[in-house]
Amino acid sequence: MTAPLVPFLVAALACGNAVLAAETPAHHADGGFRNPFSDAVQGGVGNFLRVVRMRFFSDAWSTYDADRDRVPLATPVPASDESANATVTWVGHATVLIQHQGINVLTDPMFSERASPLSFAGPKRITRPALTLGDLPPVDVVVISHNHYDHLDAASVRALGDGPVYYVPLGLRRWFERLGIDSARIVEMDWWDGRDHASGERSFRVTATPSQHFSGRSLTDRNATLWASWSLAWDDFQVWFGGDTGYNDRQFREIGERLGEIDLGIIPIGAYEPRFFMRSVHVNPEEAVRIHRDIGATASMAIHWGAFILSAEGVLTPTHALAAARTEAGIAESEFAAFAVGETRRYPAGR
Ligand code: ZN
Ligand code: ZN
């Protein structure tokens, strides 16, 4: 190779790499996905032992018997017609029924007794889902945040069948197809992919948005599929479903800037202790309030507590901490509500 050619080739290679780097999103990694704003790695034997330790030597365990019956419960009142308001029912954990303009959306449907690959072991519900699968109105759309067992449940999806269209993060199509769901009913999306979903005369827009989390249902599929939050945008009402997420000061601000006005944020507040271990993947209530502010939500509701014991904080601690975080931030209960399990609230649409 002649000398003048060498710098030229080096420059060409460097240029090629730069083009490649620009084309590969920061959350895409070899064989899977990663968090662009957190280096923490979940999983492994060490973390498994930490989970076991915190499960049995924690507030969650010592207050379990006293508090499991104190989780507030309410009777759901789903919408039976097309009112001018959006109707939102907390079924339990991350399962929320959102009804607006005659379109029914269900988030992370989880109706089973255990959030586990095993039917006889693993986190067991302390509160029942407020609606059974049979109680649900026809579900037009299901959005899935990620494939952890407390968010993606085979029995629930099997029961919903080909009724809804499933909007899922990258890599999850195959799981649904294996379960027997019609591939035409599955829409796989990367962050910021969006699609108008038509249901009869009506339509609304579904957009996958970022979150900071991880995925995996076995020991060999760590971060092989993507995690996401979701925007559900009608012409006069926008909901943002946070799914399961840790906090950083980039992604939620970006979501607020790009989505425009968010009428209702659905934000997790539970499964956050011990912090050294959970911080990167689960927000605490104080960080949940920060997300509420970062996305610029008019109102928010709390999820991801009161159903499964997944962490070390006490059963009721997330709502107490949310109340303290609200006081600290100077916001009213109605602005970031801790629903009772089963509670239905209506939010005005038509801005
Ligand atoms: Zn998760
Ligand atoms: Zn979760």
Side-chain angles (χ1 to χ4, degrees):
M1 187 183 292
T2 56
L5 257 182
V6 173
F8 171 77
L9 284 176
V10 168
L13 274 173
C15 188
N17 284 342
V19 169
L20 264 184
E23 282 172 355
T24 308
H27 62 288
H28 287 217
D30 276 348
F33 301 93
R34 64 188 187 87
N35 289 304
F37 305 111
S38 168
D39 293 331
V41 177
Q42 296 294 315
V45 174
N47 279 349
F48 174 74
L49 293 175
R50 284 177 190 153
V51 170
V52 171
R53 191 182 64 195
M54 82 189 177
R55 180 72 177 79
F56 293 103
F57 301 95
S58 67
D59 286 353
W61 192 247
S62 59
T63 62
Y64 179 83
D65 284 330
D67 285 350
R68 60 171 290 170
D69 296 329
R70 294 201 188 123
V71 177
L73 307 176
T75 304
V77 192
S80 52
D81 55 7
E82 290 186 34
S83 82
N85 299 322
T87 305
V88 181
T89 302
W90 188 31
V91 179
H93 202 56
T95 309
V96 181
L97 174 65
I98 302 149
Q99 302 174 277
H100 190 47
Q101 294 185 356
I103 296 176
N104 299 323
V105 181
L106 196 61
T107 65
D108 286 356
M110 173 40 169
F111 292 83
S112 294
E113 187 64 12
R114 287 187 193 272
S116 165
L118 308 171
S119 61
F120 55 89
K124 196 177 171 191
R125 298 193 86 101
I126 58 169
T127 52
R128 299 166 70 84
L131 295 168
T132 66
L133 282 153
D135 293 334
L136 291 172
V139 177
D140 300 283
V141 163
V142 165
V143 292
I144 299 290
S145 64
H146 64 303
N147 72 354
H148 285 154
Y149 287 91
D150 57 321
H151 297 259
L152 180 62
D153 179 59
S156 302
V157 172
R158 211 178 278 126
L160 289 162
D162 290 335
V165 173
Y166 298 88
Y167 286 84
V168 305
L170 284 186
L172 277 175
R173 167 179 288 281
R174 211 148 58 102
W175 185 92
F176 282 79
E177 287 176 343
R178 275 198 195 136
L179 211 63
I181 301 299
D182 180 351
S183 57
R185 307 298 282 173
I186 310 160
V187 182
E188 210 182 57
M189 284 187 172
D190 199 356
W191 293 349
W192 295 113
D193 288 345
R195 182 190 277 203
D196 290 326
H197 180 96
S199 182
E201 303 273 284
R202 308 287 199 174
S203 82
F204 76 128
R205 189 162 182 82
V206 182
T207 305
T209 52
S211 62
Q212 179 173 296
H213 201 60
F214 66 119
S215 70
R217 289 171 78 83
S218 71
L219 295 174
T220 57
D221 65 343
R222 180 72 45 181
N223 293 350
T225 64
L226 185 58
W227 44 96
S229 56
W230 294 91
S231 152
L232 308 162
W234 284 261
D235 54 5
D236 61 356
F237 194 80
Q238 177 163 226
V239 177
W240 178 77
F241 169 62
D244 215 352
T245 188
Y247 183 77
N248 64 71
D249 62 8
R250 305 278 291 278
Q251 287 175 315
F252 306 101
R253 287 181 192 174
E254 184 192 15
I255 286 167
E257 280 160 19
R258 289 180 66 165
L259 289 184
E261 197 165 331
I262 294 171
D263 299 280
L264 179 69
I266 301 177
I267 303 178
I269 63 163
Y272 57 86
E273 293 282 359
R275 295 305 286 152
F276 76 91
F277 171 54
M278 290 296 195
R279 180 188 302 277
S280 62
V281 290
H282 287 150
V283 292
N284 65 15
E286 199 185 317
E287 291 167 329
V289 168
R290 240 181 275 167
I291 291 179
H292 165 74
R293 288 244 159 110
D294 285 1
I295 62 171
T298 305
S300 288
M301 68 177 281
I303 56 162
H304 209 259
W305 72 279
F308 299 102
I309 308 293
L310 304 166
S311 54
E313 81 273 6
V315 175
L316 298 173
T317 311
T319 46
H320 299 155
L322 177 62
R326 274 196 310 253
T327 305
E328 181 71 24
I331 62 179
E333 195 276 343
S334 57
E335 188 177 327
F336 196 145
F339 282 38
V341 175
E343 188 172 345
T344 301
R345 293 196 193 194
R346 289 186 170 77
Y347 289 89
R351 47 185 158 202

